[in-house]
Amino acid sequence: MALRITPLFAFGSRRALRMIERNLLVYKHGWLMLFSGFFEPFFYLLSIGFGLGRLVGDVVGPGGQTIPYALFVAPALLAASSMNGAITESTFNFFFKLNYDKTFASILTTPMSPGDISLGELGWALIRGALYTIGFLVVMVLFGLARSPLILLTLPGALLIGFAFAAVGMAATSFMKTWQDFDLIQLVILPMFLFSGTFFPLDSLPEGLRIVVQLTPLYQGVDLLRGLTVGVIGPETVVHVAYLLVMGLVGLSIVSRRLDKLLLK
Amino acid sequence: MSSFLDAREPAGIGRVPPLAPSWSTIGRVIEHRAMLYRRTFRASLFASFGVPLLFLTAMGLGLGGYVDQNPDPTLEGLTYLQFLAPGLLAATVMQAGSFEAAFPILGGLQWNKIFHAMFATPIRAADIAYGNIVWIALRLTLIATVFAIVIVGFGASRSPLLVLAIPVAVLTGLSFSTPLMAFTATQRTPDKFAAIFRFGITPLFLFSGTFYPIENLPEIVRPIAWVSPLWHGVDACRMLMLDTVGRDPLLFTIHIGVLVALAGTGAAFAARTFEARLVRG
Amino acid sequence: MHDSLATEPTPAVEEALGASRPAARASAPPLISARGLTKRFDDFTAVDGIDFEVAPGEAFGFLGPNGAGKTSTMRMIGCTSPVSDGELRILDMDPRRQGPQIRSRLGVVPQQDTLDNELTVRENLLIYGRYFGLPREECARRADELLDFVQLADRGKDLVEPLSGGMKRRLTIARSLINEPSLMLLDEPTTGLDPQARHLLWDRLYRLKQRGVTLVLTTHYMDEAEQLCDRLVVMDKAKIVAEGSPQQLIQRYSTREVAEFRFLPGVQETLDGKLDGLASRIEKLPDRVLLYADDGEEVVMAARERGIHPEAVLVRRSTLEDVFLRLTGRSLVD
């Protein structure tokens, strides 16, 4: 008897591309919406980075160098918006399509499998994330916030953050039953958004809290992008990348195991 | 006991029933919203208490610590937390007021059509709009009161006039709720809400002097503040909490006047668009 | 889960068809009277100058295909849509000025459910009673009684969302009765329900009618109209094309029986003229031929003698469907 090895990821086929094609069709009618997603981090950069930055002055950035507040906050906004975009798409929107829109139900009557759908949705979220990231990077260059050629690596960096959060978000959604359950997500996301070294350096936090913050995925992402933007990389860069990669893969393996729960009810 | 369901003679024309006064029918609409809220208020506790707590801690204390290291002259000797608290109060209530006027209202008009069900009873269309506005005002009062309590807990209030900042914050919220509600009644899908929030609510939240005096805004976006209703609300709340109304009573009056005008005009339009929508079916 | 069917036998169709209780008393003034009633949307006329009256205790129907103007008429009667032209009196009041007062005495069952999905079954009734300004204890008393009546007493504490379509309709009917209305308006009450759920609903409506509740309903199902209506008007393209009791309409516009012939594809076109004279009237539909006669079997025999052999033959009584076909040249349900 042949030994059957259950693959870690029980999906993957080129049909996932059809999912992306479908979303492209949808957005052909709503391209303005797609386009507008870019403006939120841009507005934050203008208001918080430059406006509030005047009051804050310079802060200590990666490698101990002193940098203007706008430069400090810009990569953090990029990381936070990658997280927010991925979470919104993989939780609220995914849940809506799953339970109300019945989009997936009709797609499942075709040769498309649950795996194709999940992978396709994930891929689409990443493509959107890439577009926003490129737009934001252009703005950073225009505002003179590009200090190092390493800033180009923030593109894959931001995608990695998006991938990690989208995979975990989708896994979490597979356990959700009602809209009320989503309050839990806000309970996790909002504190992370505010305290992960996004708006101010960690050195003002008490020692114990600082360690907790450093363990959060958003801090990992913020610190990764901030280092790349300023041009400071080191062993911690590798740790950040490994952390996010593992997080995404763990999320994905949970999703692949719970796909039936998710889609075939 | 005799029942309607017992056999009887068919009802004839009968006499003309009395016309229920508006205050009564508005009360019935509010009663419905309250019945719904009983089911969901537990979930909104985090939003009510947690969000102001987190924002004041992160921005007021965390980031504020850096601002206070070399105080900016535009803060006029205030700690950043003292400056931020009134702005965040008005801005938070504004965001809640906007949200409440969008999705829940569209839900009642389009998704489960409960406002259509109300309209089939003696309740007038305008009273359905007014009832929802009063209900939102009650919700916003709760949010503003909780926020004010948190502010006092942080020791960030300098004047007992903080109590008056609560109705001003609610008024700020309503100056967004009522026009948006009038717009919502013309919509059949939520498609345009995302654009309104991204290009309307979020920029106003960021550029209305919530986080810093508007003199610090980049020149290109400064005009946003002058026309922003939120700026009027933020500044009025700040004047009350910092006890500076006496410095410029005219400006304070203008602030309140603008907010009242917006909320009132919005309510009048909402009554009309509700009527048009419910009549169209 | 499916709707549990009433244990008591459904009131016999024959009774409904036959001499029903003499509800409409000629002497009583009408609850609704319309003269030249018209509804226009921009340049589209949904209802074009119709006249009708509804007497107390009567079950009155608007029969017609989708788009005939039935719902627009109902919404004008329900005082949620203003009259464009003509005269409409409801309970001797003017919908233009006295809408809220009229609505306080109506029970409305809209075409689409407008139940509050976030509330329980019983809460839906309670809050609806409150809309009419009823005291809370009175709402509670009536809610329990009505839940019994529509056989949902055991679901009172459940949320509305998971209920079946038939249960939701029954709840909507209970809701519309909370104010003890003088007049009930039902817009397509059973559209979209399975046959079992429809029969259960008809049974409840029939009981209401027996208890003297005046019903006004729209439908595009002729069986529904035959089951429930004492009198009906047939609407087509915004106008009333006929009026009477179901029997009167059938007698006036159709024969006692109909023979339906179905042929293999293509055969029907080759028949030309062969059927002529077999029946008092012949309708050729795309998929079958209808032969109207007082004795259907005779038509079938005569056709066989002429060497006509359809694939399938059905002899049945005339229905309102035939009336509609006769009046408009089209079927009710496409």
Side-chain angles (χ1 to χ4, degrees):
Chain A
M1 198 176 81
L3 193 67
R4 279 199 57 175
I5 301 169
T6 315
L8 181 58
F9 306 114
F11 44 42
S13 85
R14 291 184 52 189
R15 279 192 294 266
L17 291 174
R18 298 291 93 77
M19 231 20 236
I20 295 175
E21 210 173 302
R22 176 209 166 260
N23 285 322
L24 270 176
L25 275 176
V26 171
Y27 274 93
K28 231 164 70 180
H29 307 291
W31 61 270
L32 186 70
M33 240 13 270
L34 183 62
F35 175 69
S36 76
F38 151 77
F39 282 89
E40 190 141 319
F42 171 64
F43 288 146
Y44 266 88
L45 180 62
L46 265 187
S47 172
I48 305 293
F50 290 99
L52 190 53
R54 287 203 196 175
L55 302 193
V56 180
D58 291 347
V59 290
V60 179
Q65 52 177 308
T66 303
I67 54 171
Y69 184 66
L71 183 57
F72 176 82
V73 92
L77 289 174
L78 182 56
S81 90
S82 301
M83 169 185 81
N84 281 332
I87 287 292
T88 310
E89 196 63 39
S90 68
T91 61
F92 292 100
N93 295 355
F94 196 62
F95 190 75
F96 181 78
K97 287 187 201 170
L98 218 51
N99 293 300
Y100 292 88
D101 211 14
K102 310 289 179 202
T103 315
F104 294 158
S106 63
I107 292 172
L108 278 172
T109 62
T110 73
M112 301 273 285
S113 73
D116 298 329
I117 291 179
S118 314
L119 216 55
E121 289 289 291
L122 191 65
W124 170 244
L126 291 182
I127 290 173
R128 277 177 55 175
L131 289 176
Y132 296 155
T133 305
I134 291 168
F136 193 75
L137 288 177
V138 170
V139 170
M140 281 177 72
V141 171
L142 291 179
F143 279 105
L145 296 177
R147 293 283 173 94
S148 148
L150 283 179
I151 196 173
L152 290 175
L153 288 179
T154 56
L155 176 57
L159 289 184
L160 182 59
I161 296 170
F163 162 68
F165 278 97
V168 169
M170 230 183 245
T173 304
S174 74
F175 292 94
M176 301 280 173
K177 290 197 177 64
T178 70
W179 288 110
Q180 264 78 38
D181 295 335
F182 286 98
D183 291 326
L184 291 173
I185 293 181
Q186 279 310 301
L187 209 63
V188 175
I189 295 297
L190 186 69
M192 213 153 53
F193 172 66
L194 289 170
F195 292 96
S196 296
T198 331
F199 295 106
F200 53 92
L202 291 192
D203 53 16
S204 62
L205 291 178
E207 174 75 27
L209 194 55
R210 196 186 314 160
I211 292 170
V212 173
V213 167
Q214 283 174 334
L215 289 175
T216 66
L218 183 59
Y219 170 79
Q220 301 285 326
V222 166
D223 207 52
L224 170 67
L225 297 196
R226 193 171 277 148
L228 292 172
T229 306
V230 180
V232 177
I233 48 171
E236 73 275 8
T237 313
V238 182
V239 173
H240 296 331
V241 170
Y243 179 111
L244 293 168
L245 209 55
V246 169
M247 173 178 160
L249 292 177
V250 168
L252 212 53
S253 79
I254 295 174
V255 174
S256 78
R257 259 142 238 265
R258 292 189 53 87
L259 271 180
D260 297 353
K261 285 260 180 323
L262 216 55
L263 288 162
L264 301 175
K265 26 184 169 190
Chain B
M1 194 184 279
S2 80
S3 157
F4 178 69
L5 298 171
D6 295 337
R8 60 191 168 82
E9 280 297 293
I13 282 177
R15 53 186 187 82
V16 176
L19 183 66
S22 273
W23 61 262
S24 158
T25 48
I26 287 173
R28 300 172 198 171
V29 178
I30 295 169
E31 196 174 329
H32 168 257
R33 304 311 300 191
M35 198 182 226
L36 273 183
Y37 186 60
R38 254 199 350 224
R39 286 187 181 280
T40 53
F41 93 101
R42 218 162 299 172
S44 67
L45 279 183
F46 166 69
S48 306
F49 280 94
V51 172
L53 207 68
L54 287 171
F55 261 93
L56 282 177
T57 311
M59 307 306 277
L61 295 178
L63 186 55
Y66 291 87
V67 176
D68 294 339
Q69 275 170 14
N70 30 42
D72 190 89
T74 56
L75 291 182
E76 302 177 342
L78 299 169
T79 66
Y80 184 62
L81 182 64
Q82 285 169 335
F83 177 85
L84 178 69
L88 219 43
L89 167 67
T92 302
V93 175
M94 175 279 276
Q95 283 183 315
S98 308
F99 183 85
E100 290 290 322
F103 297 94
I105 298 297
L106 188 68
L109 285 171
Q110 186 68 29
W111 295 325
N112 53 21
K113 295 196 183 274
I114 44 181
F115 297 150
H116 296 265
M118 284 182 193
F119 189 46
T121 76
I123 302 178
R124 283 163 289 253
D127 293 343
I128 298 174
Y130 296 142
N132 276 292
I133 290 170
V134 177
W135 171 250
I136 290 176
L138 291 173
R139 291 265 293 124
L140 297 183
T141 306
L142 182 73
I143 292 171
T145 307
V146 169
F147 206 120
I149 292 169
V150 173
I151 288 175
V152 172
F154 273 83
S157 173
R158 299 217 309 186
S159 162
L161 290 179
L162 166 69
V163 175
L164 290 182
I166 295 172
V168 172
V170 172
L171 183 60
T172 310
L174 288 180
S175 73
F176 281 82
S177 302
T178 61
L180 187 54
M181 193 191 277
F183 171 78
T184 300
T186 65
Q187 298 297 298
R188 289 193 184 266
T189 67
D191 294 348
K192 296 207 173 92
F193 290 156
I196 287 176
F197 279 87
R198 275 182 178 155
F199 293 111
I201 307 299
T202 299
L204 290 181
F205 173 68
L206 290 169
F207 298 111
S208 296
T210 314
F211 293 99
Y212 43 88
I214 53 173
E215 296 86 74
N216 292 288
L217 275 177
E219 286 76 6
I220 47 162
V221 289
R222 211 171 289 168
I224 297 179
W226 299 113
V227 297
S228 159
L230 179 59
W231 177 70
H232 292 283
V234 163
D235 206 45
C237 282
R238 201 165 271 147
M239 288 171 105
L240 287 168
M241 279 175 62
L242 304 177
D243 203 2
T244 57
V245 178
R247 264 199 238 166
D248 197 344
L250 177 65
L251 182 62
F252 185 78
T253 313
I254 292 173
H255 288 332
I256 302 298
V258 168
L259 296 176
V260 168
L262 268 172
T265 316
F269 272 105
R272 283 188 188 193
T273 55
F274 259 66
E275 171 106 43
R277 171 60 170 273
L278 290 171
V279 158
R280 217 180 325 137
Chain C
M1 237 200 96
H2 57 78
D3 299 330
S4 61
L5 201 70
T7 41
E8 323 89 299
T10 306
V13 177
E14 290 75 44
E15 195 188 332
L17 282 168
S20 178
R21 67 202 289 276
R25 288 167 304 169
S27 56
L31 296 190
I32 308 175
S33 74
R35 291 277 166 275
L37 182 62
T38 301
K39 180 73 197 179
R40 274 185 294 269
F41 298 98
D42 300 323
D43 49 357
F44 167 70
T45 305
V47 180
D48 193 0
I50 62 173
D51 302 339
F52 61 90
E53 281 187 352
V54 178
E58 195 176 20
F60 183 85
F62 291 94
L63 177 73
N66 292 329
K70 306 188 301 287
T71 297
S72 295
T73 308
M74 286 296 253
R75 295 194 65 236
M76 285 190 284
I77 300 172
C79 304
T80 54
S81 175
V83 171
S84 306
D85 217 338
E87 196 187 319
L88 180 64
R89 300 287 295 178
I90 301 150
L91 302 164
D92 204 30
M93 286 182 268
D94 177 3
R96 284 190 184 90
R97 293 182 298 108
Q98 293 166 296
Q101 286 119 302
I102 297 172
R103 292 200 300 264
S104 75
R105 290 185 51 198
L106 300 182
V108 178
V109 177
Q111 194 169 354
Q112 272 184 313
D113 285 322
T114 56
L115 295 166
D116 199 323
N117 290 325
E118 290 167 89
L119 295 178
T120 65
V121 167
R122 195 163 176 275
E123 282 173 333
N124 261 280
L125 297 182
L126 295 179
I127 192 69
Y128 206 74
R130 295 291 295 153
Y131 295 158
F132 288 91
L134 299 172
R136 285 193 184 77
E137 319 79 71
E138 185 61 15
C139 291
R141 190 184 69 77
R142 292 189 191 178
D144 294 331
E145 194 180 290
L146 289 169
L147 284 178
D148 265 338
F149 176 67
V150 295
Q151 293 160 307
L152 286 173
D154 52 332
R155 304 301 298 262
K157 288 196 167 63
D158 295 353
L159 284 178
V160 167
E161 183 59 44
L163 297 188
S164 71
M167 289 176 170
K168 283 183 183 172
R169 284 269 94 178
R170 264 146 57 203
L171 178 57
T172 304
I173 286 176
R175 191 182 71 171
S176 75
L177 293 169
I178 196 103
N179 60 326
E180 306 194 335
S182 311
L183 182 59
M184 235 185 131
L185 307 179
L186 303 117
D187 195 1
E188 308 264 353
T190 65
T191 297
L193 299 186
D194 61 58
Q196 200 185 12
R198 292 180 76 198
H199 279 282
L200 187 50
L201 210 68
W202 285 342
D203 168 57
R204 296 295 112 173
L205 291 175
Y206 188 79
R207 276 160 203 255
L208 285 173
K209 186 176 133 182
Q210 292 298 81
R211 286 158 210 203
V213 179
T214 308
L215 306 178
V216 176
L217 60 105
T218 72
T219 183
H220 61 252
Y221 297 120
M222 37 114 193
D223 51 347
E224 185 160 279
E226 285 177 2
Q227 285 247 3
L228 293 173
C229 298
D230 300 321
R231 201 159 59 85
L232 52 91
V233 290
V234 180
M235 282 191 80
D236 185 43
K237 295 178 179 159
K239 288 187 193 303
I240 290 176
V241 291
E243 183 198 325
S245 73
Q247 295 73 36
Q248 286 172 339
L249 287 170
I250 292 167
Q251 278 169 15
R252 205 178 309 152
Y253 297 103
S254 192
T255 52
R256 203 173 71 96
E257 287 188 334
V258 189
E260 293 196 8
F261 288 4
R262 280 174 199 273
F263 297 93
L264 284 174
V267 176
Q268 197 173 311
E269 289 72 22
T270 65
L271 285 172
D272 46 9
K274 275 197 199 168
L275 296 169
D276 291 357
L278 276 178
S280 58
R281 190 164 66 87
I282 296 176
E283 289 278 355
K284 286 182 181 140
L285 300 182
D287 61 334
R288 66 210 138 113
V289 181
L290 304 180
L291 297 99
Y292 291 91
D294 282 330
D295 189 339
E297 290 298 340
E298 255 177 30
V299 175
V300 176
M301 309 263 267
R304 292 228 170 94
E305 277 164 21
R306 288 196 192 178
I308 298 164
H309 299 287
E311 275 299 297
V313 170
L314 170 70
V315 175
R316 58 170 176 82
R317 282 177 167 264
S318 270
T319 67
L320 288 172
E321 176 83 45
D322 301 299
V323 172
F324 190 80
L325 187 65
R326 169 72 187 278
L327 289 168
T328 68
R330 285 175 296 117
S331 304
L332 264 175
V333 188
D334 10 62

